[in-house]
Amino acid sequence: EEQGAVVRAVAKRRLEFTWGRACARAALARLGCPPVAIAVGEQRAPMWPAGYLGSITHCQGHCAAAVARGQGSPTDALTSLGLDVEPAQPLPDDVARMVCNDRELAWIGQHDADGLPGQRLVFSAKESIYKCQFPLTRRFLDFHDVEVVFTEDGRFAVRAPSLPAAESRLHGRYAFRAGFVLTTAIWRGPPPE
């Protein structure tokens, strides 16, 4: 069921897909979920087994997955999550302009001396945000539809005027490890209406 989604893909993509799904199944098993195929849904999003939610990421030979049990819709329950990993390298200038708005570029400029790959951090955070919100909204978001506001303690907030409730319910974290940027985004509370 899974392999049908990448039957025409190049070998590298098939390998990333297979390892990503293997990571996801291993993570699900730690939560007590029996082995299950993780099919591909709308916009290539993983289709999680009933009662679970998660996210898969891969880049340059690294794959990871994060999963959780679905917790219904109480006010502060975890409703969705997104995960992204990227190499901690600068983006080409033309790509950085497509990804970052002026305020994000200003923040990056203020932190250049810190040695942070700020452009890649913004890119990764927005990828996590997209993966987190899509299962709830089914909306395609352009990079400039959201703005990421970083804090020094490894967290970020989201400004997204076009995405109902996101500013109060969608938050994230970031870290730099072993030459990579890792970001996670979580949605707490009921999905947007």
Side-chain angles (χ1 to χ4, degrees):
E1 185 178 348
E2 293 175 359
Q3 291 304 312
V6 290
V7 70
R8 296 184 181 169
V10 297
K12 178 181 181 284
R13 170 70 181 127
R14 285 194 311 268
L15 187 60
E16 290 171 342
F17 180 89
T18 300
W19 279 107
R21 292 309 196 265
C23 288
R25 269 190 295 286
L28 286 167
R30 294 178 85 179
L31 295 178
C33 180
V36 61
I38 303 167
V40 176
E42 188 178 344
Q43 294 289 320
R44 301 178 310 167
M47 294 178 60
W48 299 99
Y52 297 91
L53 53 96
S55 187
I56 299 171
T57 187
H58 48 78
C59 78
Q60 296 183 356
H62 292 277
C63 295
V67 298
R69 286 189 179 89
Q71 300 185 10
S73 60
T75 305
D76 64 348
L78 179 63
T79 309
S80 188
L81 61 94
L83 174 69
D84 190 61
V85 64
E86 299 287 334
Q89 301 166 353
L91 294 174
D93 287 338
D94 58 332
V95 175
R97 270 277 172 213
M98 289 177 13
V99 170
C100 304
N101 69 24
D102 290 337
R103 284 185 293 272
E104 291 163 338
L105 289 171
W107 180 85
I108 291 166
Q110 293 170 350
H111 292 84
D112 274 346
D114 298 343
L116 301 178
Q119 298 165 343
R120 191 67 70 154
L121 174 59
V122 172
F123 177 85
S124 183
K126 290 183 178 185
E127 287 290 310
S128 290
I129 290 164
Y130 181 83
K131 291 177 181 182
C132 182
Q133 67 82 35
F134 186 80
L136 303 175
T137 68
R138 297 291 190 231
R139 290 188 57 188
F140 174 80
L141 293 179
D142 187 76
F143 285 112
H144 285 274
D145 289 337
V146 297
E147 179 178 346
V148 186
V149 180
F150 297 98
T151 62
E152 303 301 322
D153 66 350
R155 299 175 189 270
F156 62 83
V158 178
R159 292 183 185 144
S162 65
L163 189 59
E167 295 185 16
S168 63
R169 297 186 179 145
L170 182 57
H171 306 278
R173 297 193 65 121
Y174 66 94
F176 299 95
R177 299 285 187 273
F180 291 90
V181 175
L182 176 66
T183 60
T184 57
I186 60 168
W187 186 290
R188 288 203 177 274
E193 296 180 11

